[in-house]
Amino acid sequence: MAYRFVATVLACGTASLALAQDRAPDGRRYLSQPLVTSIYTADPSAHVFNGKIYVYPSHDVPTETPDDDLGNQYAMHDYRVLKMDKIGAPVTVGPVALDVRQVPWASQQMWAPDAAYKNGTYYLYFPARDKTKDKNGLGKFMVGVATSKSPMGPFKADPKPIAGAFSMDPAVFTDSDGKSYLYFGGIWGGQLQRWKNGTFDPNGSDTDLGQDTQPALTGKVARLNPDMTSLAETPHDAVILDEAGKPVLGGDHDKRFFEASWMFKRGGHYYYTYSTGDTHFLNYATGTSPYGPFTYRGHIMNPVQGWTTHHSIIETGGKWWLFYADTQLSGKNHLRNVKLTELTFNADGTIKTIDPLVK
């Protein structure tokens, strides 16, 4: 079934999505409207495959679990792919592409995914908790991969997670030379802080390292093997530098990495983009290599309605587009809706900051 860029009252399973309001509770107007209203979606990873746009989002589901620092309220358990012929065209919601019950190593919480294509095969990269137990009785987040001959799935998961990849928010970037790189990691519920010594500490911090005057924790990046299902190297730190050329500090919450890595290339420059988490910005930093280091440049988007901001950026139809999510449909942090808006560059390659809520 297809849906246009309008908000309607539709039922989905046990959830009946409310009519979208034109204005936020503070009276400001939403810059964009939800792409679909039949299901709750977030963390959109958009790609152009064979001339069509495919979006790989998280599939949010209702739960009575209260919000916490571990992210237990984000109880997603499957993926459904969105498809549109072009920007502004009707959006098709695909059937279930992969369910956590079909992943041998996983226990719960299939968070933000990404996808890639190579030699006739589509690859779905996803995080999920494994079946171990930490101090909170929860599994550790690992990164898995599944394959399909169709961009909409269904996907078949590899029996084990990707060796050497961990935490959450996988994102794949393929450079102009054909080499592909996997970015991953997130602090707080994503558990990146528990890998500080190279191995997982099940009793580690639930948030960060509490080292505000030290270099911030970084996302990770590693080149993928040609098989696209394994790492070719030990992951590197995706270091973000401040304007003085020094690593951004853990206490600089407006600049430091929290989650949601996304890489794109424009004009010979690598744009490493990410979310600041608890300060709710989408940021970008640039470098001359997919490994970095990356110099902080500014905010892509100011805070949306809702706690999380996770995005993707693509070029199609001669323009650049930012895919993001907010909570317009539900007003609840764990029930989000995917949106998009045009991304604009200045002549020097910097990005004009977007306000998702306007007067």
Side-chain angles (χ1 to χ4, degrees):
M1 187 177 294
Y3 304 90
R4 295 186 180 275
F5 287 2
V6 295
T8 54
V9 179
L10 294 169
C12 177
T14 59
S16 180
L17 278 58
L19 182 67
Q21 301 298 314
D22 289 336
R23 295 185 179 273
D26 65 3
R28 289 184 293 170
R29 180 173 54 83
Y30 296 102
L31 177 65
S32 303
Q33 290 296 310
L35 289 187
V36 297
T37 59
S38 60
I39 60 173
Y40 291 113
T41 53
D43 313 322
S45 292
H47 292 273
V48 178
F49 295 138
N50 297 318
K52 309 292 185 182
I53 301 169
Y54 296 88
V55 184
Y56 299 82
S58 299
H59 176 200
D60 285 350
V61 295
T63 177
E64 297 301 319
T65 303
D67 291 3
D68 62 28
D69 290 345
L70 300 175
N72 282 314
Q73 67 272 24
Y74 301 110
M76 304 87 89
H77 58 79
D78 65 11
Y79 298 113
R80 299 178 69 178
V81 184
L82 311 182
K83 176 187 176 182
M84 53 185 140
D85 289 344
K86 61 182 180 179
I87 299 295
V91 181
T92 298
V93 181
V96 173
L98 182 67
D99 188 283
V100 69
R101 293 171 296 182
Q102 299 167 325
V103 182
W105 58 268
S107 62
Q108 65 186 80
Q109 289 183 294
M110 300 182 84
W111 284 5
D114 193 20
Y117 172 79
K118 184 177 181 180
N119 297 334
T121 298
Y122 295 89
Y123 298 85
L124 181 69
Y125 302 87
F126 61 93
R129 293 189 188 274
D130 69 10
K131 296 178 180 179
T132 62
K133 300 290 184 181
D134 67 0
K135 66 179 183 180
N136 302 307
L138 299 168
K140 64 177 178 292
F141 270 106
M142 302 296 288
V143 176
V145 61
T147 56
S148 176
K149 292 300 179 181
S150 167
M152 302 287 284
F155 289 85
K156 180 176 176 55
D158 280 7
K160 295 182 179 180
I162 299 173
F166 49 85
S167 188
M168 64 175 187
D169 291 357
V172 174
F173 166 72
T174 299
D175 207 344
S176 52
D177 61 3
K179 294 179 181 177
S180 294
Y181 301 83
L182 180 69
Y183 297 80
F184 57 90
I187 61 175
W188 289 35
Q191 304 175 329
L192 188 60
Q193 68 277 357
R194 296 191 183 183
W195 292 87
K196 63 176 182 176
N197 296 321
T199 57
F200 182 74
D201 179 3
N203 298 308
S205 171
D206 288 339
T207 54
D208 57 28
L209 296 180
Q211 299 175 347
D212 287 356
T213 61
Q214 298 299 311
L217 289 164
T218 67
K220 306 295 182 181
V221 53
R223 182 168 51 85
L224 285 162
N225 280 313
D227 63 11
M228 299 294 285
T229 64
S230 61
L231 302 185
E233 59 190 357
T234 300
H236 302 254
D237 290 340
V239 176
I240 301 168
L241 305 176
D242 64 18
E243 296 87 338
K246 296 182 179 180
V248 168
L249 300 181
D252 192 348
H253 288 207
D254 284 351
K255 294 181 180 178
R256 64 93 170 86
F257 171 83
F258 187 100
E259 62 186 5
S261 296
W262 183 268
M263 170 63 70
F264 69 92
K265 190 176 182 181
R266 181 182 183 272
H269 297 284
Y270 296 86
Y271 286 71
Y272 180 61
T273 69
Y274 58 97
S275 171
T276 64
D278 58 342
T279 53
H280 319 297
F281 291 107
L282 287 179
N283 284 356
Y284 74 108
T286 60
T288 58
S289 162
Y291 294 110
F294 305 101
T295 300
Y296 173 80
R297 298 298 183 190
H299 302 319
I300 298 171
M301 177 173 269
N302 290 330
V304 299
Q305 177 182 298
W307 203 93
T308 63
T309 309
H310 189 133
H311 67 297
S312 60
I313 295 169
I314 63 170
E315 183 181 18
T316 184
K319 296 181 178 181
W320 289 86
W321 301 92
L322 171 72
F323 290 73
Y324 65 103
D326 65 14
T327 61
Q328 179 179 353
L329 290 179
S330 72
K332 298 180 180 180
N333 287 331
H334 69 288
L335 297 176
R336 297 157 290 179
N337 43 259
V338 167
K339 298 183 171 185
L340 67 81
T341 190
E342 187 176 350
L343 191 71
T344 305
F345 293 84
N346 297 307
D348 62 359
T350 55
I351 297 173
K352 293 184 179 179
T353 303
I354 298 169
D355 282 320
L357 294 163
V358 295
K359 293 182 179 179

